[in-house]
Amino acid sequence: SFFWAFLDAFTIGANDVANAFANAVGSGTLTHRSACLVACVFEVLGVIALGSNVTDTIRKKMVDVSLFNHDPYVLAVGMSFVNVGSGLWVLAATLLSMPVSTTHSVVGAVLG
């Protein structure tokens, strides 16, 4: 489960950082190194400041977790497969240079 969560986080970070900083690096405004440093700082700040809002939306507004009170392991396995599906899809799309929304990937995996 940890591996799949790491894969999902890695691919989302790689895809989103590339989308956010491509123009700045391409135009020469930022070097590749400085873009990576800025991205590392603000990705972590974003997760700390806004991450709970995002997870609450998915946890409370998209999935009725009370349906899994009798067997929480089913919910845990299902959410692990959300990480698997989203991570593999974003990895494949990124390697193929396809524009992909990581948020749509996660939401689609939850709803699927």
Side-chain angles (χ1 to χ4, degrees):
S1 176
F2 177 78
F3 174 78
W4 296 116
F6 178 80
L7 174 70
D8 199 28
F10 175 79
T11 58
I12 288 172
N15 186 281
D16 288 352
V17 169
N19 291 338
F21 286 95
N23 292 334
V25 172
S27 68
T29 304
L30 291 174
T31 64
H32 188 264
R33 182 184 182 121
S34 62
C36 288
L37 291 173
V38 170
C40 286
V41 170
F42 285 101
E43 286 282 332
V44 169
L45 287 176
V47 167
I48 292 169
L50 303 171
S52 64
N53 295 336
V54 174
T55 55
D56 282 347
T57 298
I58 291 175
R59 184 173 53 92
K60 292 179 181 174
K61 295 181 180 175
M62 292 181 62
V63 177
D64 185 8
V65 294
S66 66
L67 297 174
F68 299 95
N69 285 341
H70 67 285
D71 197 2
Y73 296 109
V74 173
L75 178 63
V77 169
M79 288 299 150
S80 293
F81 278 106
V82 166
N83 286 334
V84 172
S86 174
L88 291 176
W89 166 245
V90 174
L91 178 64
T94 302
L95 291 174
L96 295 171
S97 300
M98 296 169 55
V100 63
S101 168
T102 55
T103 304
H104 289 166
S105 300
V106 172
V107 170
V110 170
L111 294 177

